[in-house]
Amino acid sequence: MPETGKYTFRKNERLCSLKLTETLFNGGGSHSMVAFPIRLVYTETAPPDGNAPVSLLISVPKKRFKHAVKRNRVKRQLREAFRLHKASLYQALEHSGKPGVVMAFIWIGDKLCDSSTVERRVANLLERLAEKLKQS
């Protein structure tokens, strides 16, 4: 397991696998929660060899923001917020004995938010996910 004391977001924490992405969205075992303007979709699954226990996909639809500059800004905000608050999720995985989580942040709002708001919402979602992992 990677060190969670470091505030990093490494390549092996990014969800790049098409197979895992299909499992996440079409597998039927996915769960979802919302902290507007962010929707979190997740499923518990074992990570492939060499990957971190938590894999993240970030999606900001072109339907919400037509300009790539705005989409990229939102993606940067989401990545940064996850990087700062992922430690609680790693701790919950250790305590629950689950092999791993594949998750996606999907932006569902039509307006940009400041970074502190995005960070609060992501922290809220990650805490709720950590609680669910501890319970089950």
Side-chain angles (χ1 to χ4, degrees):
M1 177 163 314
E3 293 180 334
T4 58
K6 292 182 179 179
Y7 296 109
T8 59
F9 184 56
R10 300 197 183 275
K11 170 75 172 162
N12 66 359
E13 292 178 310
R14 297 173 196 260
L15 180 57
C16 299
S17 166
L18 184 60
K19 189 174 184 180
L20 282 177
T21 304
E22 287 177 358
T23 302
L24 178 63
F25 290 110
N26 300 329
S30 299
H31 305 286
S32 176
M33 56 180 81
V34 174
F36 193 81
I38 305 163
R39 179 174 168 227
L40 171 68
V41 179
Y42 69 94
T43 187
E44 299 170 17
T45 184
D49 292 337
N51 278 11
V54 177
S55 293
L56 176 68
L57 176 133
I58 296 176
S59 175
V60 182
K62 197 172 187 179
K63 178 180 178 181
R64 303 292 177 202
F65 298 111
K66 301 295 184 210
H67 298 279
V69 172
K70 290 182 180 181
R71 289 194 305 274
N72 291 339
R73 177 174 184 247
V74 171
K75 287 189 277 188
R76 268 196 317 274
Q77 288 174 323
L78 290 170
R79 277 193 304 268
E80 180 68 6
F82 174 75
R83 183 184 72 82
L84 293 174
H85 296 284
K86 69 179 179 177
S88 62
L89 189 57
Y90 275 96
Q91 289 172 354
L93 276 173
E94 282 182 20
H95 293 310
S96 69
K98 307 273 190 216
V101 174
V102 175
M103 56 192 228
F105 285 135
I106 302 168
W107 191 267
I108 57 175
D110 288 332
K111 297 190 171 145
L112 292 173
C113 293
D114 57 42
S115 295
S116 61
T117 302
V118 173
E119 189 174 333
R120 276 196 319 271
R121 302 292 163 76
V122 168
N124 179 344
L125 287 170
L126 292 178
E127 287 297 324
R128 288 168 43 197
L129 178 57
E131 287 299 318
K132 288 201 182 234
L133 291 174
K134 288 178 186 177
Q135 290 174 0
S136 60

